[in-house]
Amino acid sequence: MPRPYTITTAISYPNGRPHIGHAYEVIATDAIARFQRMMGRDVFFQTGTDEHGLKMAQAARARNMEPRALADEMSGYFKEMNDRLNISHDRFIRTSEPDHHRASQALWQAMEANGDLYLGRYEGWYSVRDEAFYDEKELVSGEGDQKLSPQGTPVEWTVEESWFFRLSAYQQRLLDLYNSQPDFIQPDSRRNEIMRFVEGGLSDLSISRTSFDWGVKVPGSEGHVMYVWVDALTNYLTGCGYPDDAGRMARYWSEGGDITHVIGKDIVRFHAVYWPAFLMSAKLPLPRRIFGHGFLLNRGEKMSKSVGNVADPMELADRFGVDQLRYFLLSEVTFGNDGSYSAEAIVARSNSDLANSFGNLAQRTLSFIAKNLDGRLPQPKPQDADTELLVTVRQAATAFQQAMSDLAPSVAIEAWIRAVFACNAYIDAQAPWALRKTDPARMEAVLATLYDAIASLAIMIQPVIPASATALLDQMGVAADRRGYDVIGTDWYTQLRGSGFALSAPKPLFPRLELAEADA
Ligand code: ME8
């Protein structure tokens, strides 16, 4: 039984349609999940929608809808996006699902049993219209003595009964965790932020609300629903079978298990502070690592609905292609840093790497074989240059695997594209077309080397551009069960040749993309 690997994205608020930031997170996580499956791991990959809380209730009210109806509609768009982007998740969780309510209540009861919950009062400036509390320092002055929220709505000093979680008791245990597992929070910049925050002291956390009812009911406490972050974080346990399915928990959420949460930098505190504290309180295993990726900016600017620069990932996929978009996002942005996207950048990256380098390499090699050898696979007879090229490809595969294991997809892709460039340099130096008349045996040896190299490159890059890599491997006759990293560098080519496989005229994989006038 391979060692299980659990990986999750954040669950998105379905208070609007998905944007490119959501697409980015789920694509990166998908590439890692696909990679781990290729490594033979038993992967559980979960994504989904975070449907409770004030934000959802307000968004629904603004549309004159019930929160549930809004969640039904919008989570549908998130699912559609995942299908379109070729996301290989094992579960799409919706926090409105019954098993999730059960899990959240079970976690609550476990924290309560540990003596970490107490009933207190949550006090603050409250706006009924916004249904939100504000800090004193956020308020503005209205007429007379009236204080207003930053939205300009009246606020009143309000006291609400609330359950609290004794977060203050976990400061030292959290610091011990970060110190004993320096890679628990990644990248290091986020780890440092969190360390400073926790060292500064932790206040207890208000974890229930009575002012609205769109949430998971607090067990045994009429009128209280859980603060949305308590139930949201619990989604990870729900998907792993908590609390009923001990077998599933043992597999995907166990002590010492390989559990990765991929999230954006804005919510690292919830995942790296609150979440482990909840789990410690409930005496449950902790995740292995929290990776806080950066934000995607539109031409360097923050996306916002009011500026009107929020990109629709479906539109980008329709226009440029799914694999082109996946490749762009994963190669352009160093995972962990902020990154910028624009139509020009997507077109430039896709044309240079996919169309002109890899696509062209595959296309010219395969069509040459299909045409000049009638599809018969060429006979290898390696010289030094051939062996060297295959060693280069093999080393790239090793570097690729190391980088993907380290959650560094852009580094992995860099290793891959360098090997693609090496193949292009080889083809130019060996000039097989010129050998056709002068030395047909040498021509075959060169083409055989390229065939092996191209298939290996396609195998390598599957997690990033799964549909195109699959289409190419299909065309090349590489059997579905011979597409793992362990195949690279073996004698699969000789076997394929021996099987009498005949290559047909290849279909181009990556069209050259064009910019529209509107992109200027
Ligand atoms: O935070 N670039 O939901 P959400 C990259 N429901 N990533 C971005 C981004 C951008 N411009 N904007 C947002 C929530 N994200 C909670 C999570 S998890 C138990 C609950 C990322 O819909 C963001 O950082 O606001 C988060 O990881 C994810 O998208 C969902 O954001």
Side-chain angles (χ1 to χ4, degrees):
M1 192 66 171
R3 189 160 175 242
Y5 188 87
T6 300
I7 188 164
T8 66
T9 64
I11 46 173
S12 308
Y13 289 124
N15 59 343
R17 290 183 184 233
H19 56 64
I20 184 80
H22 294 126
Y24 173 60
E25 182 172 301
V26 78
I27 287 172
T29 311
D30 180 65
I32 298 162
R34 285 177 181 272
F35 168 74
Q36 291 292 348
R37 282 193 204 103
M38 277 180 71
M39 298 301 282
R41 301 289 288 274
D42 167 16
V43 172
F44 175 61
F45 167 20
Q46 175 165 288
T47 186
T49 44
D50 181 2
E51 309 193 347
H52 296 128
L54 201 52
K55 209 172 163 120
M56 279 300 287
Q58 285 176 345
R61 186 147 14 99
R63 289 166 197 254
N64 240 330
M65 286 170 94
E66 287 301 316
R68 185 175 297 279
L70 178 67
D72 286 346
E73 181 189 335
M74 292 298 163
S75 69
Y77 293 124
F78 280 86
K79 283 186 182 158
E80 243 174 61
M81 174 183 78
N82 288 348
D83 289 346
R84 179 81 178 91
L85 298 178
N86 212 353
I87 303 305
S88 64
H89 54 282
D90 300 291
R91 176 163 177 188
F92 185 99
I93 191 169
R94 297 185 54 189
T95 55
S96 52
E97 287 166 332
D99 68 338
H100 176 68
H101 282 233
R102 261 200 319 282
S104 303
Q105 290 173 334
L107 181 75
W108 183 284
Q109 282 163 330
M111 297 192 293
E112 193 168 29
N114 200 43
D116 284 326
L117 306 191
Y118 62 93
L119 202 53
R121 286 189 320 172
Y122 184 66
E123 300 185 5
W125 292 102
Y126 188 68
S127 156
V128 180
R129 215 137 10 116
D130 300 348
E131 216 176 33
F133 280 93
Y134 292 101
D135 274 353
E136 177 92 42
K137 59 178 183 292
E138 295 178 282
L139 303 181
V140 295
S141 309
E143 274 174 34
D145 284 351
Q146 181 66 66
K147 288 182 188 291
L148 300 178
S149 81
Q151 263 66 254
T153 59
V155 294
E156 285 162 51
W157 183 255
T158 309
V159 179
E160 196 184 343
E161 186 186 58
S162 171
W163 284 95
F164 281 80
F165 173 72
R166 230 177 272 286
L167 185 63
S168 55
Y170 286 87
Q171 180 181 14
Q172 196 51 50
R173 286 181 66 186
L174 288 168
L175 290 172
D176 292 347
L177 167 67
Y178 310 146
N179 284 321
S180 67
Q181 281 187 46
D183 58 351
F184 179 72
I185 306 168
Q186 297 180 36
D188 274 348
S189 53
R190 315 257 185 268
R191 172 173 190 266
N192 296 337
E193 269 166 42
I194 293 294
M195 294 278 291
R196 298 296 88 80
F197 172 71
V198 175
E199 281 162 1
L202 295 171
S203 316
D204 289 350
L205 192 66
S206 159
I207 56 163
S208 76
R209 298 286 184 266
T210 53
S211 52
F212 62 99
D213 65 358
W214 175 238
V216 179
K217 301 223 170 327
V218 171
S221 189
E222 195 64 35
H224 285 256
V225 293
M226 291 181 198
Y227 171 43
V228 64
W229 271 101
V230 175
D231 102 70
L233 290 161
T234 309
N235 92 83
Y236 305 128
L237 287 178
T238 309
C240 294
Y242 184 75
D244 308 320
D245 191 340
R248 202 175 156 71
M249 279 292 277
R251 215 159 131 191
Y252 296 120
W253 197 280
S254 62
E255 211 57 64
D258 207 345
I259 303 165
T260 302
H261 295 312
V262 176
I263 53 162
K265 63 179 184 180
D266 57 330
I267 57 173
V268 174
R269 185 180 297 180
F270 297 92
H271 285 79
V273 182
Y274 303 168
W275 182 226
F278 294 165
L279 290 167
M280 286 170 183
S281 169
K283 301 189 168 26
L284 287 166
L286 305 183
R288 176 65 188 83
R289 61 187 77 75
I290 313 288
F291 192 97
H293 63 72
F295 264 39
L296 221 53
L297 308 168
N298 187 332
R299 295 168 186 266
E301 292 193 22
K302 196 169 184 300
M303 295 184 290
S304 96
K305 279 191 187 142
S306 52
V307 180
N309 64 349
V310 182
D312 175 357
M314 303 290 262
E315 233 172 79
L316 292 174
D318 287 346
R319 205 168 144 205
F320 301 118
V322 170
D323 280 349
Q324 284 82 350
L325 180 63
R326 291 176 61 113
Y327 185 86
F328 168 78
L329 290 172
L330 296 182
S331 59
E332 186 88 359
V333 186
T334 302
F335 204 42
N337 294 357
D338 288 347
S340 207
Y341 70 92
S342 64
E344 294 95 307
I346 299 174
V347 166
R349 172 72 70 161
S350 176
N351 282 348
S352 76
D353 289 10
L354 296 179
N356 298 347
S357 297
F358 186 54
N360 192 32
L361 168 73
Q363 188 64 20
R364 55 181 177 158
T365 304
L366 301 187
S367 51
F368 193 78
I369 294 171
K371 205 157 134 211
N372 291 293
L373 299 178
D374 277 334
R376 175 179 61 78
L377 296 195
Q379 164 87 52
K381 190 164 179 270
Q383 294 186 356
D384 285 353
D386 311 346
T387 313
E388 269 166 35
L389 184 73
L390 293 178
V391 168
T392 300
V393 170
R394 220 162 48 229
Q395 286 169 342
T398 307
F400 187 98
Q401 291 169 73
Q402 185 60 54
M404 288 302 282
S405 309
D406 294 345
L407 310 181
S410 69
V411 176
I413 294 174
E414 180 66 29
W416 177 79
I417 194 72
R418 273 175 206 270
V420 172
F421 293 156
C423 289
N424 276 320
Y426 169 88
I427 202 172
D428 290 342
Q430 301 296 327
W433 38 89
L435 295 167
R436 191 158 58 100
K437 298 236 169 62
T438 57
D439 190 350
R442 178 65 197 142
M443 175 196 77
E444 289 211 24
V446 168
L447 294 172
T449 306
L450 285 165
Y451 204 97
D452 190 334
I454 291 166
S456 302
L457 290 166
I459 288 174
M460 213 187 297
I461 202 69
Q462 287 174 101
V464 179
I465 49 171
S468 315
T470 301
L472 181 55
L473 291 166
D474 288 349
Q475 292 187 30
M476 294 181 78
V478 180
D481 60 358
R482 311 285 335 260
R483 295 181 183 182
Y485 292 101
D486 54 347
V487 172
I488 297 173
T490 64
D491 65 347
W492 67 271
Y493 178 75
T494 316
Q495 290 173 25
L496 179 64
R497 221 178 143 256
S499 76
F501 170 76
L503 182 71
S504 322
K507 290 187 214 63
L509 293 170
F510 307 104
R512 276 191 62 84
L513 301 178
E514 308 271 348
L515 277 173
E517 268 177 38
D519 296 319

